């Protein structure tokens, strides 16, 4: 094919499907209409678009509450959530500035929104939010702490996974609003640690958190070495693979830091976001030798690090996207996985800003392992299934305990 024809074909592949946008009714509500147009132009699975267009028509033409330019914010939110849900895929959702996920994804997708960063996060364009380093999830009509980032203010204050969050400074908990204008101050968390018990008060410092830096800190501060039967068992939690220095933190600790002399290593993939390089698991399963550069000052620089001793992985629904690929690679290389099934969310996403500055993530590409293995909607099953109930867990971690037990068995030759 002539070069000109090749170039034209490439441009046609990149061009949005203009005809698709014309086939759906317009609401006149600019945020909704822009979200619809972006999905039609970019969603990876065209077979889902007829279903999507039908969902759009239902929202715009709803006999009880048609979506119009004057619709309330709550009505627009419901409509966008409904049409995105019709696609039935991961890496597709809308995030607003009252959610921690908005800031974390803005930092992960900072290149995609680079032209708006200074406007959104003045003056330097560094993504940040006021917080304490804990994630709270609804369960049974109450709110429970599902994650505490290692080294965060919440971690230092003794907040535990499974704590019921009753209030913040006497008011209902809100992800961002509860801590706005409180940076550098303490807030009073009222927490219930067992069903029916009286709440306890915990003072927690509010800090300006920069998501990817916070994840790097959490990975570094998660590192632990446990001694059993004269053996050393290392532990590290990969909160995300998207932090620029996250894997390097682990590699340095394996090569010459706290994990260097461990007899076995537990790699915790119960993260918050995936991302990262597709070959991230090669730190533990790669065949290339460790490679060092030693200049005249004697300070070694590890260009390539490989862990050669026993490994156990921990997974749950927090292992998603790149972390699922990591888990799959471990399991394919005979490394046992402990916990529960991963999220089944392995697609490639991209972020777009909507007119109200909310963030729209769209799955723009399918993800295939080898010739035909897909984890989307399927996930990775553990070799050793262990449940981890959330409410009132009081910081107990049966999945980590089971991983330690499996590592002890492996090291003992059992």
């Amino acid at each position: 094919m002539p070069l000109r024809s090749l170039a034209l074909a490439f441009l046609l592949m990149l061009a949005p499907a203009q005809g698709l946008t014309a086939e759906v009714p317009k609401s006149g509500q600019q945020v909704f209409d822009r979200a619809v147009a972006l999905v039609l132009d970019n969603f990876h699975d065209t077979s889902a678009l007829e279903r999507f267009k039908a969902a759009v028509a239902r929202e715009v033409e709803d006999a009880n509450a048609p979506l119009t330019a004057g619709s309330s914010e709550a009505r627009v939110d419901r409509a966008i959530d409904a049409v995105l849900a019709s696609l039935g895929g991961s890496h597709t959702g809308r995030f607003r500035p009252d959610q921690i996920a908005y800031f974390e994804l803005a930092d992960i997708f900072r290149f995609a929104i680079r032209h708006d960063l200074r406007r959104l996060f003045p003056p330097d364009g560094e993504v940040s939010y006021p917080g304490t380093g804990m994630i709270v999830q609804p369960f049974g009509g109450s709110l429970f702490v599902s994650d505490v980032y290692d080294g965060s203010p919440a971690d230092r204050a003794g907040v535990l996974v499974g704590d019921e969050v009753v209030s913040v400074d006497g008011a209902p908990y809100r992800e961002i609003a509860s801590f706005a204008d409180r940076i550098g101050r303490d807030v009073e968390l009222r927490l219930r640690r067992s069903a029916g018990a009286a709440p306890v008060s915990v003072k927690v410092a509010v800090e300006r958190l920069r998501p990817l830096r916070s994840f790097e800190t959490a990975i570094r501060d998660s590192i632990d070495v446990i001694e059993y039967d004269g053996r050393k068992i290392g532990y590290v939690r990969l909160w995300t693979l998207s932090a620029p220095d996250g894997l390097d933190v682990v590699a340095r600790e394996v090569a010459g830091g706290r994990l260097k002399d461990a007899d076995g290593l537990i790699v915790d993939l119960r993260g918050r976001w995936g991302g990262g390089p597709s070959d991230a698991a090669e730190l533990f399963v790669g065949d290339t030798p460790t490679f060092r550069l030693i200049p005249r000052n004697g300070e070694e620089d590890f260009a390539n690090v490989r862990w050669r001793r026993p490994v156990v992985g921990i997974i749950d629904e927090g292992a998603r996207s790149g972390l699922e690929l990591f888990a799959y690679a471990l399991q394919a290389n005979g490394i046992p996985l402990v916990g529960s099934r991963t999220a089944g969310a392995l697609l490639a996403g991209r972020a777009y800003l909507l007119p109200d500055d909310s963030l729209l993530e769209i799955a723009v590409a399918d993800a295939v392992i080898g010739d035909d293995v897909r984890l989307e909607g399927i996930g990775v099953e553990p070799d050793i299934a262990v449940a981890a109930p959330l409410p009132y867990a009081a910081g107990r971690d049966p999945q980590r305990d089971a991983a330690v037990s499996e590592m002890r068995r492996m090291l003992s030759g059992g």
Side-chain angles (χ1 to χ4, degrees), residues 112-131:
I113 60 172
R114 62 193 181 280
H115 300 302
D116 294 281
L117 284 173
R118 288 186 181 274
R119 178 179 63 81
L120 293 171
F121 307 103
D124 55 5
E126 288 290 336
V127 181
S128 66
Y129 67 95

Side-chain angles (χ1 to χ4, degrees), residues 216-217 219-225 234-236 245-262 265 283-284 302 305 307 309:
E216 287 175 359
T217 297
I219 292 170
R220 182 180 297 109
D221 288 354
S222 76
I223 293 173
D224 191 16
V225 177
Y235 169 89
V236 63
D245 201 34
L247 282 174
D248 288 339
V249 166
V250 181
R252 287 193 292 268
E253 295 288 353
V254 163
R258 289 169 287 174
L259 300 174
K260 179 176 183 293
D261 296 322
L265 183 59
L283 175 59
F284 304 102
F302 285 86
V305 177
W307 174 267
R309 282 159 270 173

Side-chain angles (χ1 to χ4, degrees), residues 71-323:
S71 293
S72 68
E73 183 177 338
R75 175 70 180 94
V76 175
D77 291 347
R78 289 196 302 273
I80 293 177
D81 289 346
V83 298
L84 294 180
S86 73
L87 293 166
S90 69
H91 292 72
T92 302
R94 177 173 171 241
F95 303 88
R96 295 170 290 279
D98 61 352
Q99 299 172 286
I100 293 173
Y102 173 87
F103 297 90
E104 293 180 339
L105 286 173
D107 213 8
I108 289 170
F109 288 114
R110 61 183 300 109
F111 183 77
I113 60 172
R114 62 193 181 280
H115 300 302
D116 294 281
L117 284 173
R118 288 186 181 274
R119 178 179 63 81
L120 293 171
F121 307 103
D124 55 5
E126 288 290 336
V127 181
S128 66
Y129 67 95
T132 62
M134 68 179 188
I135 302 298
V136 174
Q137 300 289 349
F139 188 93
S142 298
L143 298 173
F144 293 90
V145 177
S146 61
D147 291 296
V148 178
Y149 295 163
D150 295 280
S152 67
D155 184 29
R156 298 195 301 269
V159 177
L160 301 176
V161 169
D163 284 348
E164 179 188 350
V165 180
V166 178
S167 64
V168 181
D169 281 346
Y173 169 83
R174 299 289 182 269
E175 289 187 50
I176 301 299
S178 289
F179 310 107
D181 302 322
R182 290 173 169 83
I183 293 174
R185 296 164 46 192
D186 289 347
V187 293
E188 181 187 35
L189 291 183
R190 297 279 285 171
L191 305 171
R192 183 174 286 113
R193 296 214 149 133
S194 60
V200 298
S201 293
V202 177
K203 292 287 187 182
V204 184
V206 179
E207 295 182 359
R208 182 175 299 281
L209 301 179
R210 294 186 171 179
L212 293 185
R213 292 187 184 181
S214 295
F215 283 130
E216 287 175 359
T217 297
I219 292 170
R220 182 180 297 109
D221 288 354
S222 76
I223 293 173
D224 191 16
V225 177
I226 313 157
E227 294 198 32
Y228 281 105
D229 309 322
R231 299 294 189 97
K232 294 180 179 180
I233 299 175
Y235 169 89
V236 63
R237 186 165 185 173
L238 292 176
W239 285 98
T240 181
L241 298 177
S242 296
D245 201 34
L247 282 174
D248 288 339
V249 166
V250 181
R252 287 193 292 268
E253 295 288 353
V254 163
R258 289 169 287 174
L259 300 174
K260 179 176 183 293
D261 296 322
D263 298 292
L265 183 59
I266 295 171
V267 182
D268 192 341
L269 302 179
R270 298 174 298 176
R272 173 74 170 158
W273 306 105
S278 59
D279 60 352
E282 288 195 4
L283 175 59
F284 304 102
V285 299
D287 293 327
T288 57
T290 295
F291 179 67
R292 300 176 295 161
L293 296 173
I294 308 174
R296 62 188 292 170
N297 63 11
E299 295 182 4
E300 297 182 354
D301 180 14
F302 285 86
N304 183 39
V305 177
R306 292 291 181 264
W307 174 267
R308 303 296 185 187
R309 282 159 270 173
V311 178
V312 173
I314 309 179
I315 58 173
D316 70 356
E317 66 278 2
R320 56 184 291 112
S321 191
L323 287 172

